[in-house]
Amino acid sequence: MSPIPRRRPPALIAAAIAVAALLLPMTTSAASANPQEQSGASARHGSLVIPKTPVVEGKRLVEARVRVALGDRKLREEVKSLTKQADSWLGKGPWTVTDKPKPAASGDIHDYLSQAPYFWASQPPTAENPRGCPYVERDGVRNPEAEIGTDRVDAGNVLKSVPVLTLAWYYTGKKEYAEHASEILRTWFVDPETRMNPNLNYAQGIPCKNDGRAIGIIDFAQYYTVNLDAMAILDAGAPGWTKSDRAGLRTWNEGYLDWLVNSDFGKQESAATNNHGTYAAMQIAGLAVATGDKELARRTVREQGAKLIDTQITAAGGQPRELARTRSWHYSNYNLAAFSRLAAIGKQVGVNLWSYQGPQGQSLFGAIDYLLPTATEAATWPHPELEFYRYAASDMVHAAADAGHKAAKAAVPKLQAPPGGDLWDLRPAAQHAY
């Protein structure tokens, strides 16, 4: 096992938690008032509830909350950045798949619909060919047409807003954040009139060619496990979040997990040998923990995780399939975000993916080492990149440092913070920044 970062002494933490429970008007009272609703949703750390988050360690969330309550300056500045983001979501939404102008090819308005973002019309539109077909790929160049008349933008708003609002409630106790997060989740996933069906059969279709592709699963891949953590935090006693909400989301998650594992699209995506395969494994493992199937989670991290490292990372740490892209820095970090989250899920179920080494010495630490010179501005990125942002590596370096990688730990002070601020201490699990 990798060494664990230093923590405060248990006695000091216990004392601090007792104080924090008095200072923060948050989950404890809600939990004790509804013991039946809290059953199975969380554990306790002193007098505070530990959320059963499938990716982030719940105990670390509690410890961060204690530090905020006791006046930790660094974390309080992070909370200011967090609440600024959360405030920008208040008054927006909720969103629903039923708002699009016409349904997917199934005819069911509840089916999610999106268009392949990197495909463009190759011909001028005419009366006989109004869409300018056939569509051709321009890797890394987004077609604005894909944002019109589909669910992609609204789904993105749901998946980005809920974690921010939920964490803002968790660290401030302001109920409007939790209530709005609950309304957004309820509208998109639970309410029979507005809910999305738990599949991505019609995601990233190419006009004039198909109605959906396995590759479209990536539409939910980046943010859905972040939302699983948010749901678990809300489960710990958030105002506005009810027993029926939790039951409805569990039913949706079980249906989505079944579709990811057993559908043809899900199987194709799990077999992918680039970031799509990594994100498929991450989603399956996260959903498995969230729905109580820890054996599936354990098997996915241990077997799929090792296979993905073996086939995607070289002994030198490069990721050839991502380096071949026009946005190689973006996709190298994007893929490592999924690997980092998969490793975090593994820690929850007793699998140490950070310590795994492939037959040629491939490893996650090696992939991090490959990025460190650019992440710390010691060297320029030697591969194609249409839109370079140095901060894209921030969370992945943090994750490796937490896992005991000395070079990553030394690099942390040299990282560029993302535009919304470095919020690692408030939600210590990798998220891709753009």
Side-chain angles (χ1 to χ4, degrees):
M1 295 291 290
S2 300
I4 298 172
R6 295 180 71 181
R7 297 278 182 265
R8 296 187 179 196
L12 179 58
I13 291 174
I17 285 171
V19 174
L22 297 174
L23 295 177
L24 289 169
M26 298 163 60
T27 62
T28 306
S29 60
S32 60
N34 299 286
Q36 291 183 337
E37 291 202 16
Q38 292 305 311
S39 177
S42 56
R44 287 187 175 275
H45 188 45
S47 57
L48 297 183
V49 173
I50 301 177
K52 284 193 172 181
T53 39
V55 185
V56 175
E57 287 184 72
K59 186 176 178 181
R60 291 189 66 179
L61 292 173
V62 172
E63 291 175 4
R65 187 175 148 199
V66 168
R67 289 170 59 191
V68 171
L70 295 181
D72 186 299
R73 289 185 180 181
K74 181 176 182 293
L75 263 68
R76 287 203 166 188
E77 286 301 312
E78 291 182 21
V79 170
K80 285 183 182 179
S81 298
L82 173 67
T83 53
K84 183 178 181 180
Q85 293 179 44
D87 289 341
S88 73
W89 289 111
L90 293 176
K92 297 179 181 178
W95 301 270
T96 169
V97 293
T98 61
D99 277 346
K100 55 184 172 286
K102 61 180 182 180
S106 64
D108 188 343
I109 200 69
H110 295 275
D111 280 331
Y112 174 86
L113 172 68
S114 71
Q115 181 176 317
Y118 295 158
F119 280 77
W120 296 70
S122 63
Q123 303 296 321
T126 64
E128 294 76 21
N129 184 12
R131 298 216 60 170
C133 295
Y135 272 54
V136 296
E137 186 173 14
R138 295 169 61 186
D139 184 41
V141 183
R142 286 190 171 275
N143 186 347
E145 176 188 302
E147 312 298 320
I148 302 169
T150 73
D151 295 311
R152 185 183 179 96
V153 173
D154 285 349
N157 288 334
V158 170
L159 299 178
K160 292 174 185 177
S161 64
V162 167
V164 172
L165 289 162
T166 300
L167 283 175
W169 162 72
Y170 188 75
Y171 288 112
T172 69
K174 293 181 180 178
K175 67 178 184 178
E176 57 265 35
Y177 294 135
E179 289 172 346
H180 195 42
S182 300
E183 182 186 22
I184 291 168
L185 286 173
R186 187 182 305 119
T187 303
W188 191 272
F189 294 105
V190 178
D191 189 328
E193 296 298 318
T194 57
R195 72 190 289 269
M196 171 187 164
N197 290 333
N199 68 72
L200 292 167
N201 288 322
Y202 303 97
Q204 292 210 17
I206 301 173
C208 316
K209 186 174 184 179
N210 53 51
D211 297 319
R213 300 178 297 157
I215 205 172
I217 291 172
I218 206 73
D219 280 10
F220 266 46
Q222 182 173 353
Y223 290 106
Y224 199 68
T225 58
V226 183
N227 278 261
L228 292 176
D229 279 343
M231 294 169 201
I233 293 169
L234 293 172
D235 282 350
W241 186 248
T242 68
K243 184 177 181 179
S244 60
D245 292 333
R246 186 187 319 130
L249 255 299
R250 183 181 179 91
T251 297
W252 199 94
N253 286 332
E254 288 172 344
Y256 182 44
L257 175 59
D258 179 72
W259 182 84
L260 282 175
V261 171
N262 296 310
S263 71
D264 287 342
F265 277 2
K267 291 175 181 177
Q268 289 176 43
E269 197 73 342
S270 288
T273 56
N274 63 352
N275 65 76
H276 285 263
T278 317
Y279 273 97
M282 181 200 71
Q283 282 198 88
I284 289 170
L287 282 158
V289 173
T291 57
D293 192 346
K294 289 192 175 182
E295 181 49 40
L296 173 59
R298 190 175 296 113
R299 187 169 65 250
T300 301
V301 178
R302 184 178 60 243
E303 297 176 7
Q304 260 318 80
K307 180 180 177 181
L308 290 163
I309 290 171
D310 290 352
T311 57
Q312 293 193 51
I313 300 172
T314 68
Q319 301 170 65
R321 291 169 181 82
E322 312 308 331
L323 294 177
R325 304 291 297 272
T326 59
R327 301 179 66 199
S328 60
W329 174 253
H330 165 88
Y331 279 107
S332 292
N333 283 288
Y334 183 69
N335 195 32
L336 271 182
F339 270 122
S340 299
R341 293 184 72 79
L342 186 64
I345 296 165
K347 187 174 182 180
Q348 305 268 31
V349 294
V351 180
N352 188 347
L353 195 61
W354 284 107
S355 69
Y356 174 79
Q357 285 198 344
Q360 282 82 48
Q362 308 99 308
S363 70
L364 295 184
F365 285 155
I368 294 292
D369 285 337
Y370 195 88
L371 303 179
L372 283 180
T374 303
T376 59
E377 216 172 14
T380 56
W381 184 243
H383 305 285
E385 178 54 62
L386 294 176
E387 197 173 3
F388 179 79
Y389 298 100
R390 185 163 66 90
Y391 59 74
S394 177
D395 269 12
M396 281 56 78
V397 177
H398 271 296
D402 273 15
H405 192 41
K406 291 181 180 179
K409 187 174 183 179
V412 166
K414 304 173 187 177
L415 297 173
Q416 180 186 37
D422 187 342
L423 304 181
W424 180 262
D425 292 325
L426 300 181
R427 46 112 184 108
Q431 296 180 29
H432 195 253
Y434 76 107

